[in-house]
Amino acid sequence: MLHCAYEAVKKSIQAYVTRAGGSVIEVQLPFPVNSNEEIIAEFRRGLGKGKANGRKIRLAIIDHITAMPCVVIPVKELVKICREEGVEQVFVDAAHAIGSVDINVKEIGADFYVSNLHKWFFCPPSVSFLYCKKASLGFDVHHPVVSHEYGNGLPIESAWVGTRDYSSQLVVPAALEFVNRFEDGIHGIMKRNHEEVVKMGKMLAESWRTNLGSPPEMCAGMIMVGLPSRLRVSSEDDASRLRSHLRECHGVEVPIHYQGLRDGEEGVKDKDGVITAYARISHQIYNKFEDYCRFRDAVNHLAENRQIRRTIYPE
């Protein structure tokens, strides 16, 4: 799996795979990233490491869109490589995908593909879908919560799980009706979100004289924008405190990614030094240009005011 896999997924691997005696290979996602080829090369290296000394890779977990830093992963190509390298099963974690990018699960070719409708498809938490390839859907695949329908197949086991609240699932038809009010439906929304977030990302990077974390074609409705090096973000804690300050003092909610340098790395630089933090901005139909201007001005103010920075995190 990628080193930036969602933390809850990592905890699941810790709970089930390592406890059963399996080992885990984490593939470093290149970031900032310039092309799909960079990701594919790192993934191939990870597969080679996993297969060293005659070992077998039982499961590959691939993000369709990584959460932090956010990048659209060439998932179809990575699944194909897994097949060529004899990986037994492939699970695609596509939490951010539906409503954000086009999805064709059969073309992607994974054994399992899951996505959340409460991120980009206007549904309340928590509602999602799970696709299972028929060849992978054996008698050993069960819903993690055992209830009355255990043993009757995964679809039936998943349809009724004890006293779960099903109201979020009942909202799906209304969400479909809502998105179809817009020109070209969800596809029109996805196109507009992508175009606008790229435009806003470029506007911020130009104002701050920084960079984008990836090319526009590797983004969907989210994009990473380098923050000025003058902010002096030097740890995950600094990034967290900066996020809190932006929320509490400027009314801006935006995740901040700390990008530490590995040995031998020079990093991306602006005029004042190495860029060590990136903001993940998003665009949805309700966002306005003023939202991004507020964020732009807040960061510019912080970059110019060392005294305020000291109150956020000690230098």
Side-chain angles (χ1 to χ4, degrees), residues 138-154:
F139 290 106
D140 291 332
V141 180
H142 298 282
H143 193 281
V145 177
V146 176
S147 193
H148 297 283
E149 299 294 347
Y150 180 80
N152 290 326
L154 184 60

Side-chain angles (χ1 to χ4, degrees), residues 24-294:
V24 180
I25 301 296
E26 291 191 10
V27 176
Q28 191 75 25
L29 174 72
F31 188 83
V33 62
N34 297 306
S35 68
N36 285 333
E37 286 68 31
E38 292 180 357
I39 298 174
I40 290 170
E42 285 294 329
F43 192 77
R44 285 190 182 277
R45 277 191 280 271
L47 287 175
K49 186 177 179 181
K51 293 174 66 178
N53 301 317
R55 292 184 299 179
K56 187 172 182 63
I57 300 175
R58 302 289 303 278
L59 174 68
I61 300 174
I62 303 172
D63 300 83
H64 197 156
I65 303 175
T66 54
M68 186 61 84
C70 66
V71 178
V72 177
I73 301 297
V75 63
K76 183 179 176 181
E77 290 85 348
L78 297 189
V79 172
K80 183 175 182 291
I81 292 169
C82 286
R83 300 304 185 202
E84 294 169 352
E85 295 295 329
V87 176
E88 284 191 5
Q89 291 188 318
V90 182
F91 184 100
V92 175
D93 177 3
H96 278 280
I98 189 169
S100 184
V101 292
D102 286 323
I103 299 170
N104 186 320
V105 290
K106 291 188 176 180
E107 282 188 4
I108 290 170
D111 297 283
F112 306 97
Y113 186 103
V114 64
S115 187
N116 294 335
L117 280 76
H118 59 263
K119 292 188 181 293
W120 291 91
F121 212 88
F122 304 96
C123 289
S126 61
V127 56
S128 62
F129 77 84
L130 169 66
Y131 164 82
C132 303
K133 198 173 184 179
K134 283 187 177 181
S136 305
L137 193 56
F139 290 106
D140 291 332
V141 180
H142 298 282
H143 193 281
V145 177
V146 176
S147 193
H148 297 283
E149 299 294 347
Y150 180 80
N152 290 326
L154 184 60
I156 297 176
E157 290 181 10
S158 304
W160 187 259
V161 185
T163 56
R164 179 179 176 177
D165 180 1
Y166 291 91
S167 56
S168 58
Q169 295 182 26
L170 298 175
V171 172
V172 174
L176 287 167
E177 180 184 340
F178 173 73
V179 299
N180 286 330
R181 297 179 194 171
F182 295 82
E183 184 178 358
D184 293 330
I186 192 63
H187 295 286
I189 293 172
M190 291 191 301
K191 181 175 183 293
R192 181 170 181 267
N193 284 339
H194 171 71
E195 291 174 349
E196 290 298 317
V197 83
V198 169
K199 188 187 303 182
M200 294 303 99
K202 289 180 176 179
M203 180 271 289
L204 293 174
E206 182 178 348
S207 175
W208 301 333
R209 292 180 173 81
T210 57
N211 64 308
L212 298 179
S214 64
E217 61 270 20
M218 298 181 73
C219 305
M222 303 185 291
I223 198 167
M224 303 296 293
V225 187
L227 292 170
S229 63
R230 292 183 69 178
L231 294 184
R232 299 291 187 266
V233 177
S234 58
S235 66
E236 295 284 358
D237 286 342
D238 284 355
S240 179
R241 284 191 282 265
L242 176 58
R243 179 177 184 174
S244 296
H245 175 82
L246 289 167
R247 180 195 308 118
E248 294 164 6
C249 299
H250 298 277
V252 173
E253 178 59 66
V254 60
I256 306 295
H257 169 67
Y258 168 63
Q259 181 67 21
L261 295 180
R262 290 182 292 175
D263 291 342
E265 278 188 330
E266 293 186 2
V268 177
K269 298 180 180 179
D270 60 14
K271 65 182 180 67
D272 297 306
V274 177
I275 296 171
T276 57
Y278 286 77
R280 188 190 80 185
I281 65 167
S282 306
H283 189 279
Q284 190 48 278
I285 54 174
Y286 44 73
N287 282 123
K288 300 178 181 179
F289 179 63
E290 291 77 13
D291 299 332
Y292 305 94
C293 291
R294 185 186 303 119

